[in-house]
Every structure is written in structure tokens, then in C-alpha cells.
Amino acid sequence: MSEKITLKIYENYGLVSAKSFLARDASEAADLSKKIGFPVALKIESPDILHKTDTGGVKLDLYSENEARKAFDDIMLSVKESRPDASIKGITVQEMFRDCFEIIIGYKFDKDFGPTIMFGMGGIFAEVFGDVVFRALPVSKEDVSSMIDELKFSDILLNGYRSVKSVSKEMLSDVILKAGRMAYELFEDLDSFDMNPVVLKGDEHRIVDFKYVKSSQKNYLTDEKPYTKYLERFFDAQSVAVIGASGSSRDKLGNYILDSLIFYDYKGRVYPVNPKSKMIMGVKAYPSLSDIPDRVDLVVVSIPLSGVPEILEQCREKDIHNIVIISGGGKEAGSVKLERSIKDSAHKYDIRIIGCNCIGIFDAYSRLDTFFQVNDVMSRPRAGSVSMMTQSGTVGAGFIELMDHAGMSKFVSYGNRIDVDEADLLKFYEDDPRTKVIAVYVEGFDKGRKFFNTAKKVSRKKPVVIFKSGRSSKSSDLSISHTGFLSGTYNLSRGIFNQAGLISVDSFEELVAASKALAMQKRADGNRVLAVTDGAGTVIQAVDRMEKKKILKMAELTEESKRYLEEKLPAYAIIKNPIDLTGSGTDRDYEISIRTAMEDPGVDIIMLWFLFQDTPVSRNINRNLSICCRNPKKPIVIGATGGEYTRYMSGLIEKAAGIPVYSSVNDWVTAAEALAIK
């Protein structure tokens, strides 16, 4: 273990300590207080006490030598009562800043993403408010600037509050960059650290408290690249063997998979494999893969996982490189060694595996389909430009059915990711000319750093929308550090996604909303939105939602646009933002407003909300929209909520005009946000 890490190691990186000295008795504490200058703080110094306040080990705002003496005695009494077992080195006497801000800067070596840095609201309320932002190390100036901007606390920090002066953003960025450089250079030997609080006043900073945890073994980073060899064959396979269908029972998963392949749109050859059947569902069956006389491009497996090693041997003999394992029974059922054995054999034989424990793949162009959800109960979308990857087949099945108007290119449910993982698929989708939008649902990562490095590159070329579930705190980190606790929430993943340029959403519904918008509309040049409605109540809700995430802002129409609207719209129209056409609004009123917004340089996104229950909006609005919004200069998203007629009109608009329609205010705003994020 390296001995270079000390309590003041940060001073080597240009960070400044608060003046502090160790006192061993009350008299020495009084003398040191006078030397430093009042006010001062006294803090217990013990290797056994991480959270000093919890033991009564901190006294603040001491203005005299007598107060310092009394504080020393009070701290000693309190700590010995609450922690009689603790080894006490003494009590630190430390300078105090008044009228200042307190932040926390933390570092953690994360098992998924490697070295990470955290910045946020500090002091004793760091965990209570949880207003923190994470990034993967190393960080650039741009990364640090975005961290500061994302913090909810940043407006107060940079503008000041009452008697507390504003903080210099340049100084703050410099402090975070220096802490980040220190953490990145020491990550091999360091598991975590907290600088909390770091006090800020104007263009000055002081590190008041620093705690660190050395690593018990060397931390290391891998530089694994995405591996896309043979992935295209999963989607363009000309022949598919299905292992697991039965000639005696149609209630096997393999039979449902066979049904999807032989009775619908897939045009390739299909070979059922079963040693006990000569014909299955009217198709000739073969005892084993080895008995199939023709070339096989893809094997779909639904028999127990214990039978997969033998299948791999047969694939090696027939030069087959692609397997989808639908079957469960892997690590989720405790069979970790079996999964590892399958993984090792696949790598040895140059075989790519999707699964296990998944629903497999779908290609909307070749119509190759490995789902055991038959077409009678789960529809398949038309060909389009959205490609999805999902750790959960359940989530994927719902997504597929909701993408019909937007259309899909490719879909992968990868389950336990024995081989093919998220980074491999990201790179493959990036290179796929039919994929315009990438949607990701994930519950956790095996190779987070690989995903992060790949996502940073892919997001520059194509939008990637991601929804991660499993956001609760990791209880194992609770007693280690503030940074450990706060990284156990979704904070760390969200920060990494933002750093990689991904569009991070908070629900399945938002994943669908954002993906649909990006597939059906062009991306916006900015974040200024104009709302047009015949009922303003929903727009008020939308503005509340916009304020929460601070991605969008309401546009300001030019004076020229306002004059034109005043001239062309009826007197009942309220020309602000939103443009409220009231319940009297007509198709023509909407058309005038849309065309004006298209030409206004201060508008980037047009958000329409229809109350189809208002009779003046005609049944021909879908056709009128398709005419006035053909080849739009700016993206449009529509909201409308209601019953059967509203759903009918919404479907007509999506089909005729190619504009996405949403039934909830949250999804409507999410769609606009996705179009604005670059």
C-alpha cells in the first residue's frame, strides 16, 4: 500500500487548508484559538469517529478563550460518554469563515464506473438534501462547468444570498478540477474521500475537513472496447434453428418461437430441432444441429441451460457463430458457474451469445423474430428508425407495441448478457444505417466503464435515450462516507449519463415519449418553446414541469410576430406564451399560430395542446396539420387527453401528419426536452 496519502495530501494539488492546530488540553485550545483569531471551531480528532457531530464532537462560533476552554471540556465529556471505546488524539482548533457557503467534494472508486468525483451542497445536511452531481474521472473544464450548472444549489451559490457573497465560478471550477486531478492520480490506492465541508467565500476556499479510505487492494481500470463481430447476423440470418420446440406439446416456449418464425413475415429457412419429433407444426424436424444438412446462421435455444454446452460444441462443428438463449436458470437462479462455463466456451469457439434469460431479438426489416409472445397477443411494429436494447423482456415487450407509429429498426432483449452487452449493442446501433434513435433500459451494469466510454462516442452521432431502474440507496455504503451514501442512489448513474451525452429519463413512459419524438421529429436548434392551446390549464402544469428540470424555457415572441398574430387571430385569442386560443379556437387559428412560430427566430420547439372535446376544432385537423406541418423547420409535439374520440384523433394525427401525440403533460414535456438536449 502506498504511503503517499496523508491527511493534507490535497495541499500538494494547490488546495488550501483552513488554519488548524491540535490541542491536547483546554488551556492549549484557548491559546491556539487566540493565535488563529476568532471565531474558531473545535472538533474531536479520532481515527474511530467518522461523523464528529453525531458524538457531540464539534463546537462552532467560539469568540473567546473562555469559550474555547469550555468547548474543549464539553467535547471531551460528550465523546467519552457516547464513544468510550474511541481512541482520542486531541481536539483540533480551526479557523472559521463567517457568511460563507459550504460544499462537499467527494471521490469514490465505483465498482461499475471506476474513479468518480462528486460535488454538491455540503456540511451536515449533505445527505439530507442530496443535492449533488457526479462525473467519471478524469474531468475536463466543460465537465466541471456542467456539474456546477446541474446543481440545484448553484443559482444561490453563484449569485449570493443575503449577507453571503456570491462565489466565483472560476475559483469553484479550479477547486473541483484540482480535487479531480488528485483523485485520478491516486485512485489505485484510494477507495474514497470526503472534503466536507469546503467553505467558499468570494474567490477564496478552505478545506475544513478531509477523510479518506485507502483501498485494501490495487484499484484498476480496464480499457475494454465494444466487440461487434458477427452481430449483424443476429438480424439478417437467412436460416434459423429452434431448439426446444416439441411435436407432442404446443405449450413449449420453443413452439411459440417457431410460430413467430414460420407463420408470419420472416422469409428465411426454419429448422426445428428435437430428437423425439420428425415433424413440428408442419415443418421437418432434426434430431440435432449436426443433422441439419444446410447452413444455419442463427440458433435459438429454449431448453434448460444445462443443455447449452453440448449445443456450443455442435455450433463449433457447423461453423455457427450466433446463439440466442431464451432460457432462464442462470445466475439469477444461482447457476453462476454454468453461465461462466458457457461464456468461456463461446469465447473459445468465436460464438456470440444474446441472453440468457431474455426474449431475444426482432428486426423490423427482415422480420426475424425470436419472441415467444405470439403475434396474436403482442403486435410487432412497422419498420422505422428506433433501435432498443433492454435488460428486461417485460419492459421490451411493452416498448415494442407502443412504437408502431414511430416504427422500429432493431430490438434486443439481452437478459443476463453472458456475452453481448450494452456497449457492444451501442456500437452496433451506431453503425447501423437504419437506426436513427437508440433506446436503452437497464437495471445495472457489469462493465459500466466500457458502456460510458462507448456511449460518449455514440451520442455524438445519434441520440441515446436511457432509463435506469434500481435507483435506491446501497445500504452497505451508509457508514463509510457521505460520498459512498450519495453514490448509492441514482445520483451517480445520472451524472455519468449526462457526462456521456445521453438523454436520461425517469420512467418507462418517458422512455417511450422521448424515443417517439426523436424518431418522428427533427432535433431542435435550442430549448425555447412556444405553446399553443385551446385550454391553458395543461400548459400551466407543463411550465411547472419545465421549471423542475430546467432543460426548456418559454420563448419570447418577436414584436413582429405579436403584431401579425394580433392582426390575424380573432379577438378572443390571448397572444402571450402560451398562445391561448380559448375554447373558441379553430383549425385556422392553430395554423396561423404554427406558421408564425415556424418563422419566429426566438422559437425552437412548438408545443401544441388540443382539447378535442372543444367543437370548433374540426375532425379534419389531422389533414390540416399534415399540410401546414409538411417538412417543418422546427419540431412539433402535441398533447391531448380524453376518451375514445381524443384517442382516435391522436392516432389520426400521428399517422397523417407524422407528429407525436401524448396523453399526459409529463410525457409531452419529456418529448420536447428530448428534442432540445444535444
Side-chain angles (χ1 to χ4, degrees):
M1 179 58 58
S2 169
E3 296 302 323
K4 62 186 176 183
I5 303 172
T6 65
L7 273 175
K8 296 221 174 167
I9 182 69
Y10 54 82
E11 291 183 345
N12 296 341
Y13 292 84
L15 297 171
V16 181
S17 296
K19 294 177 186 175
S20 60
F21 301 93
L22 189 67
R24 291 174 175 80
D25 58 48
S27 294
E28 189 176 11
D31 292 342
L32 291 172
S33 298
K34 184 178 179 181
K35 178 180 178 181
I36 291 171
F38 297 105
V40 296
L42 266 62
K43 301 178 181 181
I44 194 71
E45 202 60 54
S46 168
D48 301 319
I49 299 174
L50 282 174
H51 302 301
K52 299 177 174 66
T53 307
D54 295 346
T55 63
V58 178
K59 296 289 183 180
L60 305 175
D61 293 316
L62 305 174
Y63 281 88
S64 69
E65 295 171 64
N66 286 337
E67 287 183 11
R69 287 191 191 93
K70 184 176 185 305
F72 186 99
D73 293 336
D74 289 346
I75 288 174
M76 282 296 190
L77 181 63
S78 177
V79 171
K80 287 177 179 178
E81 285 181 353
S82 60
R83 289 293 305 275
D85 59 323
S87 171
I88 298 173
K89 292 184 176 180
I91 292 179
T92 296
V93 183
Q94 195 170 63
E95 72 171 322
M96 278 195 68
F97 275 75
R98 292 194 56 77
D99 295 330
C100 60
F101 289 108
E102 292 187 352
I103 65 167
I104 180 172
I105 298 176
Y107 150 82
K108 179 186 177 185
F109 191 89
D110 184 73
K111 67 180 182 63
D112 294 324
F113 296 108
T116 61
I117 189 168
M118 179 192 79
F119 151 69
M121 178 187 283
I124 62 173
F125 295 112
E127 291 172 15
V128 175
F129 292 106
D131 186 13
V132 295
V133 181
F134 280 84
R135 291 293 186 266
L137 290 168
V139 286
S140 65
K141 288 184 179 179
E142 291 74 18
D143 290 329
V144 171
S145 179
S146 68
M147 290 177 78
I148 296 170
D149 292 342
E150 283 177 30
L151 196 72
K152 297 172 189 173
F153 176 53
S154 65
D155 284 346
I156 296 174
L157 198 62
L158 299 179
N159 294 307
Y161 182 73
R162 294 185 178 176
S163 63
V164 184
K165 290 173 57 178
S166 62
V167 168
S168 160
K169 187 174 183 180
E170 183 179 354
M171 177 275 295
L172 179 57
S173 298
D174 185 59
V175 169
I176 298 171
L177 281 167
K178 286 173 177 174
R181 182 165 67 88
M182 179 182 92
Y184 192 66
E185 290 183 4
L186 301 177
F187 79 77
E188 289 186 348
D189 300 319
L190 202 58
D191 274 345
S192 66
F193 70 62
D194 281 348
M195 295 176 178
N196 183 41
V198 179
V199 296
L200 307 174
K201 188 171 185 177
D203 59 1
E204 291 186 79
H205 78 276
R206 294 289 188 275
I207 311 300
V208 175
D209 203 2
F210 176 66
K211 295 190 288 285
Y212 64 90
V213 178
K214 289 184 178 181
S215 53
S216 57
Q217 56 187 13
K218 287 283 185 182
N219 294 320
Y220 65 92
L221 275 181
T222 60
D223 189 28
E224 187 175 352
K225 301 292 192 294
Y227 185 53
T228 60
K229 187 177 182 181
Y230 299 125
L231 291 194
E232 74 283 347
R233 200 166 294 173
F234 282 111
F235 305 98
D236 64 11
Q238 300 300 302
S239 54
V240 182
V242 179
I243 303 177
S246 170
S248 59
S249 172
R250 293 199 58 154
D251 293 330
K252 300 284 188 181
L253 288 187
N255 291 73
Y256 300 143
I257 296 165
L258 206 57
D259 179 273
S260 298
L261 287 166
I262 64 178
F263 293 131
Y264 293 91
D265 300 325
Y266 178 61
K267 304 303 181 186
R269 301 183 304 277
V270 182
Y271 304 98
V273 175
N274 189 313
K276 298 179 181 179
S277 302
K278 293 186 177 181
M279 296 286 290
I280 300 177
M281 299 169 67
V283 180
K284 182 179 179 181
Y286 296 86
S288 70
L289 280 176
S290 303
D291 293 309
I292 300 172
D294 307 316
R295 174 171 181 79
V296 174
D297 292 328
L298 174 65
V299 176
V300 183
V301 178
S302 63
I303 64 170
L305 211 59
S306 57
V308 171
E310 182 181 348
I311 293 169
L312 289 171
E313 293 293 337
Q314 294 178 33
C315 287
R316 178 183 61 82
E317 293 170 4
K318 284 189 69 68
D319 196 31
I320 299 170
H321 296 280
N322 296 73
I323 302 178
V324 175
I325 305 176
I326 304 296
S327 326
K331 61 187 176 186
E332 82 283 358
S335 299
V336 177
K337 288 184 179 179
L338 177 58
E339 268 200 31
R340 170 56 64 180
S341 173
I342 292 170
K343 181 184 183 77
D344 292 344
S345 294
H347 286 186
K348 180 180 177 181
Y349 301 149
D350 205 16
I351 296 170
R352 303 309 308 272
I353 294 176
I354 287 175
C356 58
N357 189 29
C358 68
I359 64 173
I361 61 173
F362 170 74
D363 187 284
Y365 290 90
S366 70
R367 309 309 288 184
L368 199 158
D369 179 348
T370 71
F371 300 154
F372 57 81
Q373 294 83 1
V374 296
N375 282 253
D376 290 345
V377 297
M378 189 179 93
S379 61
R380 274 57 165 172
R382 67 177 182 85
S385 61
V386 179
S387 286
M388 188 200 195
M389 66 185 80
T390 173
Q391 198 166 355
S392 163
T394 302
V395 171
F399 187 91
I400 278 176
E401 289 204 286
L402 294 170
M403 277 293 114
D404 189 51
H405 284 154
M408 291 195 69
S409 174
K410 292 172 175 62
F411 171 92
V412 175
S413 158
Y414 57 85
N416 291 16
R417 58 187 162 217
I418 286 177
D419 171 35
V420 176
D421 64 18
E422 300 90 352
D424 300 336
L425 291 168
L426 272 180
K427 177 59 180 169
F428 179 75
Y429 286 164
E430 177 193 19
D431 297 334
D432 174 36
R434 287 171 168 161
T435 297
K436 174 185 171 186
V437 180
I438 301 169
V440 182
Y441 171 78
V442 65
E443 292 159 1
F445 294 97
D446 278 345
K447 299 177 180 178
R449 194 76 179 196
K450 177 186 176 186
F451 174 83
F452 169 67
N453 289 336
T454 305
K456 274 199 301 185
K457 296 175 182 176
V458 175
S459 66
R460 294 174 192 147
K461 186 175 176 182
K462 297 179 180 180
V464 180
V465 187
I466 186 164
F467 171 44
K468 183 186 181 299
S469 62
R471 300 183 174 199
S472 60
S473 302
K474 300 173 185 175
S475 59
S476 61
D477 285 333
L478 289 179
S479 63
I480 298 174
S481 66
H482 294 292
T483 306
F485 169 71
L486 291 162
S487 69
T489 66
Y490 178 59
N491 288 322
L492 190 147
S493 296
R494 180 178 57 211
I496 298 292
F497 297 159
N498 290 346
Q499 186 180 9
L502 309 186
I503 300 168
S504 179
V505 296
D506 295 322
S507 69
F508 169 75
E509 291 78 13
E510 290 186 6
L511 181 67
V512 173
S515 300
K516 189 164 78 166
L518 289 161
M520 298 177 74
Q521 294 289 292
K522 63 177 289 185
R523 298 180 85 174
D525 292 331
N527 66 343
R528 300 164 300 176
V529 302
L530 176 72
V532 184
T533 181
D534 53 355
T538 48
V539 180
I540 295 169
Q541 297 171 47
V543 172
D544 288 342
R545 169 64 169 70
M546 292 177 199
E547 284 296 312
K548 185 177 179 181
K549 285 206 170 182
K550 300 187 181 302
I551 295 171
L552 302 174
K553 63 181 181 180
M554 299 297 280
E556 180 68 35
L557 288 168
T558 64
E559 292 302 317
E560 182 181 355
S561 293
K562 291 177 185 177
R563 285 194 297 270
Y564 180 80
L565 291 170
E566 287 168 356
E567 178 186 336
K568 296 295 182 181
L569 291 177
Y572 54 70
I574 302 169
I575 301 168
K576 293 182 178 179
N577 189 2
I579 298 174
D580 185 1
L581 303 175
T582 75
S584 301
T586 65
D587 296 13
R588 179 179 176 275
D589 297 339
Y590 270 104
E591 182 181 344
I592 290 169
S593 301
I594 292 168
R595 292 190 186 280
T596 303
M598 286 290 179
E599 299 301 325
D600 192 299
V603 176
D604 300 308
I605 303 169
I606 302 169
M607 299 180 69
L608 309 178
W609 188 278
F610 286 102
L611 188 64
F612 287 122
Q613 295 89 335
D614 286 342
T615 307
V617 175
S618 81
R619 292 172 180 264
N620 295 321
I621 187 67
N622 60 307
R623 275 180 276 176
N624 296 333
L625 283 172
S626 67
I627 293 169
C628 85
C629 300
R630 187 177 293 124
N631 300 317
K633 298 177 181 178
K634 298 170 184 177
I636 302 174
V637 292
I638 294 175
T641 188
E644 183 178 348
Y645 177 68
T646 295
R647 291 191 293 271
Y648 169 73
M649 291 301 295
S650 298
L652 285 182
I653 289 172
E654 286 198 342
K655 189 172 182 181
I659 302 172
V661 184
Y662 302 94
S663 61
S664 83
V665 171
N666 187 69
D667 292 350
W668 183 48
V669 176
T670 295
E673 288 172 341
L675 294 167
I677 295 172
K678 289 290 182 70

